[in-house]
Amino acid sequence: MTTGRLWRLLALLFAFSLIAAACGSDSDEADGGEGQTQTQETAAPSDGGMDDDDMPDEEGDGGTSALGGAADDDVIERAVAGEEEPDEEMPDEEMPDEEMPDDEMPDEEFDRSTLEGIFAENAARRAATVKMLTEGINSGDYGIDENNMLRGPAGFEIDLNDCPADWSNTGGITGSQVRIGHTTAQSGTLAAYGAIANGWDNYLEWVNANEPIMVNGEPRELELLVKDDAYVAAQTIEFVDELIESENVFAILTLGSPNTFSVYDKINAECIPQPFVMTGHPAWGDPVNHPWTTGMQLSYSTEALLWGAWIRQNLADQLPVKVSGLVMDNDFGLSYEAGFAQWADANPDVVSEFHPIRHDPAAPTITNPMTTIRADNPDVFISMTAGAPCVQAITEAGANGLIEDIAERGGALFTPSVCKAVANYMAPAGDAADGWWIVGGGAKDTTDPTYEDEPFVKWLNENLAAGDLDPKNSLNGTGYWYGYTYVEALRIAAELPGGLNRTNFMLAVRSLSIYHPLMLDGIETELNGAQDAYFVEGSDFSQFDATAQSWNIIGDVVDVNGSSSNCAWGKDEEGKAGCR
């Protein structure tokens, strides 16, 4: 990567940091679930989509002035267009404090067109990471020191003195199992996401039967304990208590932003690993205050920024445009809303008005809010929801004429990255799904004809079928997307001095750098201590072809790996929640 390219990517993420600083819900909503939703349909003001007291005091200037950053609109546009900036020498003070040396990663070329080549590459990557961490542990730089502090690369540390008195580093590892707790939605309006757990468990069954995790030289089965919280945060709290107090779990994985918010303080206080949560809220990028928690997918704040950048780049002849959004009224949807509202406020030459219309996550239909949006006559519509409402948004837009109206104005309609699954969210909408856009987060849909013959996709679909799971359910395949990453970290931890335990697992997670066969080429997947807390920082821009039942990537993927600033989620002096 040229220095100019790095400058451009850093500038883009400085703009992302501004958006992340503004994102989130009010203090009550940050505490939990759907019972706190106040309205089913709420139209925000037309001056940028947020109430005046929710907006930053600084005047917008290309989306950067609140941080004093350097990313103007031209820099963002160049990043999306894939154009190079003139080479510049980066000042010494801008260089990162620490990162994994390039020579730690294998130089050998591997054949990614075969399953054997994919597995061999990641075996070599694991070995390089094990070597780096082991050397650090043996030298005393990493691992648990005499003061009971866990230290890792790039300033990562955890004070184990804060753990409960009865805490065990090998909790959840029995004589035969490594027990992993998982809360998810297998009922309710987001029930489709429950299939992710099925796919994940299917992958773990393959691992157990073929390449098991070794503990003290003996194989251990990876046991997934799944709890259906129906996407209700109060239920998540009960299940997490049960997993900790009764189920003896090694680690916990949660699905959903409000659900994860409701328990991540407790999970961190209990010193239980919570990596790769199934939500893209930026708050999970906080290795200092919540070191046991990480995200995995593209941050919703980055996604919101990329919506704006796409509009500037592709609707240049129609600017400024009016944008309407359908917003799920909880922590998840409001992070989208606040991020895009901030970008719109800072770029009035691109977005003249942003009207977010909120809906109750538990409502059976979204006809009323979509009727309101149709009457708003937007040039661009962005769906900022999840689950069944994603399909409903597309079908309602087709039925009420919104799709036709926006097409006549030369605008665009976006569905969110969390609803990329073709079989679950696009195919059920029929022809109305044709032509919709997505900032897709870089993940491959395992039912998409574009990827069905790739070796890893073909292999996992055969595994799903052998396990009596439907390979045509995209979210079964998504289980492999999460499971593959999780197991790679477990394998690294098992090879470190002391073997598999909770602290070694977190060292492995915070040092993970893999080739992920379910990510698009050009997007790196890695974490780096306390410095890089976001595993995925790149995305595709894709448009749906309803005839082919496929997402067509338009243009180059964008990747800003290693540049996202951390997000210490909390309240300011006025009690407003956001990244600090």
Side-chain angles (χ1 to χ4, degrees), residues 1-69:
M1 179 185 295
T2 65
T3 306
R5 173 73 169 167
L6 182 57
W7 266 103
R8 175 166 59 78
L9 296 183
L10 287 171
L12 174 61
L13 260 294
F14 273 42
F16 149 69
S17 300
L18 169 65
I19 288 176
C23 72
S25 61
D26 62 35
S27 57
D28 288 336
E29 288 163 328
D31 287 335
E34 284 66 40
Q36 294 167 347
T37 300
Q38 296 177 354
T39 59
Q40 177 176 346
E41 179 183 344
T42 305
S46 61
D47 59 354
M50 303 285 286
D51 296 330
D52 290 342
D53 58 359
D54 286 331
M55 298 302 293
D57 295 333
E58 296 87 337
E59 290 297 321
D61 180 17
T64 63
S65 62
L67 287 182

Side-chain angles (χ1 to χ4, degrees), residues 402-475:
L402 181 64
I403 293 176
E404 182 178 355
D405 285 356
I406 288 180
E408 290 177 355
R409 285 191 286 273
L413 302 100
F414 280 85
T415 197
S417 64
V418 296
C419 291
K420 191 177 187 179
V422 172
N424 302 85
Y425 301 118
M426 304 307 292
D431 291 340
D434 193 58
W436 282 66
W437 286 88
I438 195 169
V439 173
K444 299 173 184 176
D445 186 304
T446 58
T447 69
D448 194 312
T450 304
Y451 312 114
E452 61 184 5
D453 290 328
E454 290 188 0
F456 191 85
V457 174
K458 186 175 181 180
W459 170 76
L460 76 84
N461 281 330
E462 290 173 352
N463 287 348
L464 292 173
D468 293 325
L469 296 175
D470 184 4
K472 294 302 182 183
N473 183 333
S474 305
L475 293 174

Side-chain angles (χ1 to χ4, degrees), residues 374-386:
R374 166 65 181 82
D376 198 36
N377 294 316
D379 303 298
V380 175
F381 169 71
I382 304 176
S383 179
M384 303 180 186
T385 189

Side-chain angles (χ1 to χ4, degrees), residues 297-528:
Q297 67 204 64
L298 181 72
S299 162
Y300 301 144
S301 297
T302 303
E303 185 175 351
L305 182 150
L306 292 173
W307 287 329
W310 185 94
I311 292 170
R312 179 192 291 278
Q313 181 78 21
N314 292 276
L315 302 182
D317 294 340
Q318 296 145 258
L319 302 181
V321 296
K322 179 193 291 186
V323 180
S324 292
L326 176 72
V327 180
M328 182 172 280
D329 196 0
N330 62 9
D331 296 297
F332 155 72
L334 294 174
S335 66
Y336 273 145
E337 177 187 319
F340 189 77
Q342 176 68 11
W343 194 93
D345 182 70
N347 293 275
D349 59 317
V350 179
V351 178
S352 58
E353 301 175 65
F354 172 43
H355 297 168
I357 307 299
R358 300 173 186 172
H359 75 90
D360 182 345
T365 70
I366 55 170
T367 299
N368 288 342
M370 287 301 294
T371 299
T372 301
I373 289 170
R374 166 65 181 82
D376 198 36
N377 294 316
D379 303 298
V380 175
F381 169 71
I382 304 176
S383 179
M384 303 180 186
T385 189
C390 283
V391 181
Q392 293 170 350
I394 296 173
T395 56
E396 290 283 354
N400 70 18
L402 181 64
I403 293 176
E404 182 178 355
D405 285 356
I406 288 180
E408 290 177 355
R409 285 191 286 273
L413 302 100
F414 280 85
T415 197
S417 64
V418 296
C419 291
K420 191 177 187 179
V422 172
N424 302 85
Y425 301 118
M426 304 307 292
D431 291 340
D434 193 58
W436 282 66
W437 286 88
I438 195 169
V439 173
K444 299 173 184 176
D445 186 304
T446 58
T447 69
D448 194 312
T450 304
Y451 312 114
E452 61 184 5
D453 290 328
E454 290 188 0
F456 191 85
V457 174
K458 186 175 181 180
W459 170 76
L460 76 84
N461 281 330
E462 290 173 352
N463 287 348
L464 292 173
D468 293 325
L469 296 175
D470 184 4
K472 294 302 182 183
N473 183 333
S474 305
L475 293 174
N476 283 330
T478 302
Y480 272 68
W481 189 74
Y482 282 99
Y484 189 80
T485 305
Y486 210 98
V487 170
E488 289 299 289
L490 287 171
R491 293 194 190 283
I492 292 170
E495 294 296 322
L496 296 179
L500 181 63
N501 55 46
R502 285 166 166 170
T503 53
N504 277 349
F505 185 42
M506 290 314 301
L507 287 179
V509 166
R510 294 290 181 180
S511 307
L512 195 61
S513 177
I514 66 171
Y515 164 65
H516 202 306
L518 293 180
M519 291 296 294
L520 297 173
D521 289 342
I523 298 178
E524 299 293 326
T525 48
E526 60 185 15
L527 295 167
N528 184 27

